[in-house]
Amino acid sequence: MVLEIIVIACGCFVASAFNAVFATGGVHIMLATSSSVLPLAVAIPMQAALNMPSLIARILSFRKHIHWPIFIMFTPAAAVGVFIGARVFVGLDEDVISLALGGLLLGLIWLVPEGVKLKSPGRFRLVGLLHGFFGTIFGVGLFLQPAVLRTELSRLQITATLAACLMMVEVLKSGGYAVFGFNFAAYWQHIMFGAVASIIGNYFGQRFGWLVSEELFRLVFKILVTLVALRLTIRGVLSLKIGRAHV
């Protein structure tokens, strides 16, 4: 357990610092580190609890920049998506989750045209439904981050709006996982040390975030998501092959 806590705390620190600098992407770091020491069936629900401290810190730091029209459109639809997603999650095999998650991430990063813009906040109703559903199944957001990055919002608005929307999703997801049987109390030490590491990481990220340009901000996010997606896809393929070999 000590190794698990150390790895998760380090992942939370890096993820929180990354989020403070790049506005998004830290959740993928957190999923990558936590899934290296925990089963996906545990690592995915844990993302909700591990993400909250970093999100709270960002909301407090950038609250003046939240774009409320997107938040208002996004949240109710996300609640519906989370409820449906939680019911689906309990019935999926881990190798299927891994393969599907990797494929979806690659598709969102490389197949959505760069010129696509989401200027109307009303479109975030659909984004909320899809993000809540797939985010609950796979543990990471698949639609909100790319959608917000393709708006005309400034960098500070992106950071603040993502934090506010994602915080509501994580609260809803935590409730959904708990209702369908996941016991967060069994991992209270992981959550506690992860929270402390996240707060420290957010501080460091804010101190040095100004050194990073917009271009680098978006490039690093794409590279990071691609690497995590490839890792999950390969893991899912290998698991399926091994499973078939044993049949």
Side-chain angles (χ1 to χ4, degrees):
M1 178 181 289
V2 174
L3 177 61
E4 293 176 3
I5 292 174
I6 292 174
V7 171
I8 288 175
C10 290
C12 287
F13 173 84
V14 176
S16 184
F18 195 93
N19 280 331
V21 175
F22 298 111
T24 186
V27 64
H28 302 93
I29 297 174
M30 199 176 300
L31 179 61
T33 54
S34 60
S35 63
S36 68
V37 293
L38 296 171
L40 271 180
V42 174
I44 287 178
M46 284 285 286
Q47 300 310 298
L50 294 174
N51 285 334
M52 286 186 187
S54 175
L55 292 171
I56 292 172
R58 275 185 286 157
I59 289 172
L60 293 176
S61 298
F62 302 105
R63 59 189 180 278
K64 295 181 181 179
H65 301 280
I66 296 173
H67 189 72
W68 291 108
I70 289 179
F71 178 85
I72 292 170
M73 293 291 178
F74 174 86
T75 303
V80 176
V82 166
F83 177 77
I84 300 173
R87 294 181 64 89
V88 174
F89 173 78
V90 296
L92 290 179
D93 293 330
E94 185 169 314
D95 52 356
V96 174
I97 294 175
S98 183
L99 181 60
L101 173 57
L104 281 171
L105 288 174
L106 288 173
L108 284 169
I109 290 299
W110 295 107
L111 298 182
V112 178
E114 288 292 334
V116 174
K117 299 290 183 181
L118 293 175
K119 298 181 179 181
S120 171
R123 299 185 184 182
F124 279 86
R125 292 192 182 95
L126 177 59
V127 172
L129 180 65
L130 295 175
H131 185 96
F133 177 74
F134 287 102
T136 304
I137 295 176
F138 300 124
V140 297
L142 302 172
F143 292 90
L144 177 63
Q145 291 91 333
V148 173
L149 286 171
R150 285 176 168 80
T151 63
E152 301 296 336
L153 299 181
S154 68
R155 180 170 169 176
L156 289 178
Q157 287 178 310
I158 289 174
T159 300
T161 305
L162 281 176
C165 291
L166 291 174
M167 183 62 193
M168 290 303 302
V169 171
E170 301 302 1
V171 170
L172 293 168
K173 284 165 58 179
S174 296
Y177 292 134
V179 166
F180 289 102
F182 186 78
N183 183 17
F184 286 98
Y187 300 93
W188 69 269
Q189 291 173 304
H190 301 68
I191 296 170
M192 181 184 69
F193 283 97
V196 173
S198 293
I199 294 171
I200 298 173
N202 183 76
Y203 171 78
F204 276 90
Q206 287 186 48
R207 289 290 300 272
F208 298 103
W210 62 273
L211 296 173
V212 182
S213 66
E214 290 280 349
E215 292 75 17
L216 180 60
F217 158 61
R218 296 176 187 274
L219 176 62
V220 171
F221 174 69
K222 291 187 70 172
I223 292 174
L224 172 68
V225 175
T226 299
L227 291 175
V228 174
L230 289 173
R231 174 181 175 272
L232 290 169
T233 302
I234 294 171
R235 175 178 176 177
V237 171
L238 293 177
S239 296
L240 287 173
K241 286 185 177 179
I242 293 173
R244 289 178 179 177
H246 289 164
V247 175

